[in-house]
Amino acid sequence: MVVLDNPTPEQRTQAISALRAKLDAEENDYCTDLDIWRFSVARQLDVDKSAAMIKEWYLWRKSAGIDDLPVAQANNQHPVPYPIRGYSSVADANLTPGITVKEYQLKVNKYFGGGCWHKRDKDGHPVYIERIGRYHIKDIPKKCSMGELFEYHYLMQEFLSRTVFPECTQLAGRDISQQVVIFDLAGISIGMLSHIPALNMLREMLAKDQLYYPECMFKTYVVNAPNMFVTAWKLIKGWLDPRVISKIHILGKDHAEELLKQIPAHSLPSFLGGSCRCSHMAGGCVPSVPMCNYPDLPRKAFVSLRHQVQVSYAEPHHSYTCDVSPVDFDQRSPWGSPMSSPQTLQNYATWFGFKKDSPRSASDLADAPLARTRYMYMRFMADRGRGMVVEVMWQPFGAATTAGLYVQDEEVLIYPETLVDPQRAPVLLELKVPNRAGQLVFNWRIANFDEGQAPFPGPEEAQIPIVLEYSIDSEDDLLEEFQLPPIKRD
């Protein structure tokens, strides 16, 4: 008897050979052994049913142009279709309005609750998180067509298959072709669970997934599920294959222990019980437009940026320095307690990111005027290249001299070197800066050959300069300019 989730190599080879014998030459050339095995498992090794499923799948892919979708991979400059954290084939990114990002993608992202491919589980599977409880459920059917939702969904599925799975396979040293999914229902209401148009969209999407992308799910965890979800789940189960249902785990608020059995704490967001915060990215681990945890900038925010420079592989570095003046805040810490608290001061020093060898101590901050954090944002993009490495330094001004000049204190690293892909789509970085006078020093450089997986350009292409455009703003100025709501950080 074949165990579908753990067959012997001989059993898998035999099943693939039997199914290939039912396909024509064109279908056989198109299908990988992994494709064949997925459809075999989906139909419980019934050769005739599996063959019929593959034939329909093949015709659909050809007629819908699925192979021509602009899927972000290491060897191209397509933008990522959804936020991602913790991979090297593409850099960490949020969805931003790049030139090739379609309007419907931005529209869907606006009404979805926030999602992200977030690192890997203990077995090497990619982890996908979706904050369903924050969806604008009623707006989705009204303002997004089924065609738009399907095209976006297929783009995400192809990104998973062509980019995420291959990297996970390479890292694990074995085939990884399934993902772990976490659906967070925190914030969901009875009105959302009973909204018929949205449920109809969900039913159609689940049907397409089971037909065209079978066996891509290792486990699914539905967390923060309220009691009222039981009724909706009875309905949804009727749309799913029994094999899919067996992999779904419904959990309430006490879900952390169960999630941590599958996912290491450093790969699980803190709001789900882990220790990860992804503080280097705007929006943290899972950016969410409905939750307003990062600025959702429109296209015009990346048009005519203030600074434009050229870098090249011969001269790959660029630096920019700007002065920052303090804002008239009350003299309290980011946590709302007086800055005189020794523990608060130590937390602040650790959070701010002093270098390990820095002689500065937490007590130094107690003497800093108006020592409260504020946020700066850097928008930038590049017209080509293989990615850029960014770091930001902070040089606080010390006491004034008798001549009225400020003495610069020790330089502090506040944003360590991070690889980003501004050639794919615009990048928005969020910087935490103390509320005192000083300078921010921004450093960019073209990624080295051992950073990321993008190929190096050929000799002729390497001679073409890379145009880097950027703007730097305070949070208040950025939100006011583009009429955005206040940022709500965890």
Side-chain angles (χ1 to χ4, degrees):
M1 179 178 178
V2 180
V3 179
L4 296 180
D5 290 320
N6 191 28
T8 66
E10 293 78 13
Q11 290 171 332
R12 177 168 169 151
T13 298
Q14 184 178 3
I16 291 172
S17 297
L19 184 48
R20 283 196 178 278
K22 293 284 186 176
L23 305 178
D24 62 32
E26 189 174 337
E27 293 161 346
N28 266 310
D29 288 342
Y30 187 82
C31 293
T32 66
D33 281 352
L34 177 58
D35 295 330
I36 298 291
W37 176 249
R38 277 179 174 166
F39 286 103
S40 295
V41 173
R43 289 296 179 261
Q44 306 291 309
L45 303 185
D46 184 310
V47 177
D48 291 331
K49 290 182 179 179
S50 300
M53 192 176 182
I54 286 181
K55 290 176 182 294
E56 183 177 350
W57 168 79
Y58 175 72
L59 290 174
W60 165 73
R61 292 186 68 88
K62 290 299 182 181
S63 62
I66 299 299
D67 293 326
D68 298 324
L69 290 175
V71 177
Q73 294 179 282
N75 61 356
N76 64 38
Q77 295 187 7
H78 295 314
V80 297
Y82 219 46
I84 188 167
R85 308 284 189 265
Y87 292 82
S88 59
S89 48
V90 294
D92 289 1
N94 293 339
L95 181 66
T96 56
I99 296 175
T100 59
V101 173
K102 296 183 179 180
E103 286 302 319
Y104 76 78
Q105 292 178 255
L106 302 175
K107 183 168 57 174
V108 170
N109 188 55
K110 180 179 180 180
Y111 300 122
F112 276 28
C116 184
W117 278 285
H118 192 274
K119 304 184 179 181
R120 291 166 291 279
D121 74 354
K122 294 179 180 179
D123 300 317
H125 302 100
V127 177
Y128 177 78
I129 302 169
E130 190 73 42
R131 302 181 93 157
I132 291 183
R134 306 298 180 179
Y135 272 36
H136 287 180
I137 291 288
K138 296 182 179 180
D139 285 326
I140 294 173
K142 291 179 182 178
K143 300 180 180 180
C144 304
S145 70
M146 282 304 302
E148 291 173 336
L149 286 175
F150 277 135
E151 184 174 345
Y152 197 7
H153 187 66
Y154 295 150
L155 178 60
M156 291 173 62
Q157 290 283 33
E158 291 298 309
F159 178 70
L160 175 66
S161 298
R162 299 189 215 174
T163 305
V164 177
F165 282 155
E167 180 173 335
C168 292
T169 295
Q170 182 181 21
L171 291 171
R174 62 183 182 86
D175 175 57
I176 297 291
S177 56
Q178 295 178 318
Q179 66 177 340
V180 170
V181 178
I182 301 174
F183 290 134
D184 182 9
L185 302 191
I188 204 162
S189 67
I190 187 65
M192 296 168 67
L193 289 172
S194 59
H195 190 61
I196 299 302
L199 288 173
N200 287 336
M201 282 185 159
L202 175 62
R203 181 179 58 187
E204 290 192 46
M205 196 163 292
L206 289 173
K208 298 294 185 184
D209 270 357
Q210 293 177 98
L211 188 62
Y212 299 140
Y213 296 97
E215 293 299 313
C216 288
M217 187 251 289
F218 181 68
K219 289 182 180 180
T220 289
Y221 298 94
V222 181
V223 304
N224 292 311
N227 292 333
M228 59 187 171
F229 177 70
V230 174
T231 302
W233 176 233
K234 289 180 181 178
L235 176 65
I236 295 170
K237 279 201 300 186
W239 307 334
L240 299 173
D241 184 274
R243 181 170 163 79
V244 173
I245 295 173
S246 69
K247 299 180 180 183
I248 298 175
H249 307 268
I250 310 298
L251 305 173
K253 293 182 178 179
D254 298 326
H255 51 72
E257 183 178 355
E258 192 67 24
L259 293 180
L260 289 169
K261 291 178 183 178
Q262 186 69 40
I263 304 166
H266 61 78
S267 294
L268 186 67
S270 58
F271 69 86
L272 292 174
S275 60
C276 186
R277 291 186 177 276
C278 289
S279 57
H280 65 296
M281 295 297 296
C285 295
V286 183
S288 169
V289 176
M291 294 183 70
C292 298
N293 65 3
Y294 79 109
D296 180 36
L297 294 175
R299 284 192 189 276
K300 63 181 179 180
F302 298 98
V303 176
S304 301
L305 299 181
R306 296 187 189 95
H307 306 279
Q308 185 179 100
V309 297
Q310 291 187 351
V311 293
S312 67
Y313 290 93
E315 297 182 1
H317 297 270
H318 174 68
S319 293
Y320 175 78
T321 301
C322 67
D323 290 347
V324 179
S325 301
V327 179
D328 187 18
F329 287 129
D330 63 302
Q331 296 189 40
R332 300 179 69 84
S333 76
W335 301 275
S337 57
M339 287 301 295
S340 57
S341 164
Q343 183 59 50
T344 299
L345 289 169
Q346 186 57 53
N347 289 342
Y348 186 77
T350 302
W351 167 86
F352 180 48
F354 286 129
K355 292 181 178 179
K356 292 181 179 179
D357 57 353
S358 172
R360 297 292 302 280
S361 66
S363 62
D364 291 329
L365 290 171
D367 298 324
L370 303 174
R372 175 177 172 178
T373 185
R374 61 317 204 357
Y375 291 84
M376 303 288 292
Y377 285 94
M378 174 169 63
R379 296 170 275 160
F380 64 100
M381 55 189 179
D383 68 338
R384 64 181 66 246
R386 61 179 309 276
M388 286 190 169
V389 174
V390 183
E391 76 166 8
V392 183
M393 310 295 293
W394 167 253
Q395 288 186 325
F397 292 147
T401 66
T402 54
L405 300 175
Y406 282 100
V407 177
Q408 284 189 331
D409 285 351
E410 181 190 357
E411 191 175 64
V412 179
L413 179 68
I414 65 170
Y415 194 88
E417 283 199 337
T418 301
L419 177 65
V420 292
D421 283 338
Q423 78 282 6
R424 295 186 184 276
V427 174
L428 176 70
L429 294 186
E430 180 181 83
L431 306 168
K432 307 170 190 177
V433 184
N435 188 34
R436 58 178 295 188
Q439 286 184 333
L440 284 171
V441 182
F442 300 85
N443 297 315
W444 292 266
R445 63 173 173 81
I446 298 174
N448 294 327
F449 71 93
D450 58 345
E451 295 172 308
Q453 296 184 10
F456 251 71
E460 292 185 6
E461 185 181 352
Q463 301 301 314
I464 303 174
I466 297 172
V467 177
L468 171 66
E469 298 180 68
Y470 61 93
S471 287
I472 298 163
D473 305 272
S474 69
E475 179 177 345
D476 289 342
D477 288 345
L478 188 71
L479 299 184
E480 181 180 358
E481 181 178 356
F482 298 106
Q483 299 181 335
L484 299 176
I487 305 302
K488 301 175 183 177
R489 298 179 177 86
D490 292 337

